[in-house]
Amino acid sequence: MSTQDRLIEATRALLWERGYVGTSPKAILERAGAGQGSMYHHFSGKPDLALAAIRRTAEELRAALEDVLGSPGTPYERVEAYLRRERDVLRGCPVGRLTMDPDVIASDELRAPVDEMLVWLRGRLAAVVEEGRVQGQFAASLDSGETAATILATAQGGYVLARASGSPAAFDAAVRGLLALLSPGGAPRGGRS
């Protein structure tokens, strides 16, 4: 891995763990195993490096979610797979957590890839919900866009509840509740994998 990639990967990890303010250039260099000055050789500064890290995180998350939402199965099964996919619930979403970082939100440039990712995900979920609505799997009265926003809010809010309680149980309960509301034939199956 190149020094530039090590810097980006270190920044990604630190942003998820500590947020923007808690991610110092010194911590980035230590985590990356890079020497003094290497950050400024590849990037104009911490904001430029953070932007590269946020973009990479968003791109990887988008690809992973597309794999789930674009997989075979009914629309309900794909929504269920999105909500139950393997994740570290207590760490939260690596993109969603950035919305709670005042320095990221205050910067139009740093906020843009976060917003773009969430807008894409709402749109992708809306397309799956609309497919299910047209097929009669979801209620015809559902608004696909509003339902997609609810699905995304349930996942993001579930992270908050789990982190507050120190247990993934609250996340799992939120997912089960939403799936029960969306289920074409009654209660959803099983727990989070």
Side-chain angles (χ1 to χ4, degrees):
M1 188 181 293
S2 71
T3 300
Q4 183 176 9
D5 282 332
R6 288 196 329 267
L7 289 166
I8 291 171
E9 291 304 313
T11 304
R12 290 176 63 195
L14 289 166
L15 285 172
W16 197 7
E17 292 168 17
R18 303 178 183 183
Y20 185 81
V21 170
T23 300
S24 68
K26 181 180 178 184
I28 293 168
L29 292 172
E30 286 175 3
R31 178 78 58 103
Q36 289 282 35
S38 62
M39 184 169 91
Y40 298 100
H41 174 73
H42 296 285
F43 302 95
S44 62
K46 178 181 165 183
D48 187 38
L49 175 52
L51 181 59
I54 293 168
R55 282 183 178 148
R56 185 174 291 176
T57 297
E59 288 166 6
E60 286 187 7
L61 183 58
R62 181 176 177 158
L65 295 177
E66 180 56 41
D67 284 348
V68 171
L69 294 170
S71 67
T74 67
Y76 179 87
E77 289 168 344
R78 287 182 279 151
V79 169
E80 181 180 32
Y82 161 71
L83 289 168
R84 295 186 189 272
R85 72 186 185 81
E86 187 66 34
R87 62 185 93 203
D88 187 346
V89 171
L90 295 180
R91 284 188 76 193
C93 173
V95 172
R97 279 189 62 177
L98 293 171
T99 65
M100 302 304 293
D101 192 310
D103 291 296
V104 171
I105 295 306
S107 165
D108 290 341
E109 192 173 27
L110 293 176
R111 186 180 66 246
V114 173
D115 184 45
E116 290 164 8
M117 170 62 205
L118 295 174
V119 166
W120 171 83
L121 182 52
R122 279 194 318 267
R124 190 65 182 91
L125 285 166
V128 173
V129 170
E130 181 62 17
E131 181 184 337
R133 198 184 66 70
V134 167
Q135 293 175 3
Q137 189 169 37
F138 295 133
S141 61
L142 282 183
D143 179 284
S144 298
E146 290 176 1
T147 303
T150 301
I151 294 167
L152 181 55
T154 298
Q156 294 299 320
Y159 289 130
V160 171
L161 295 173
R163 288 174 58 82
S165 68
S167 168
F171 181 93
D172 293 342
V175 166
R176 282 191 310 273
L178 179 59
L179 289 172
L181 292 173
L182 291 175
S183 180
R189 306 165 297 281
R192 179 175 51 89
S193 50

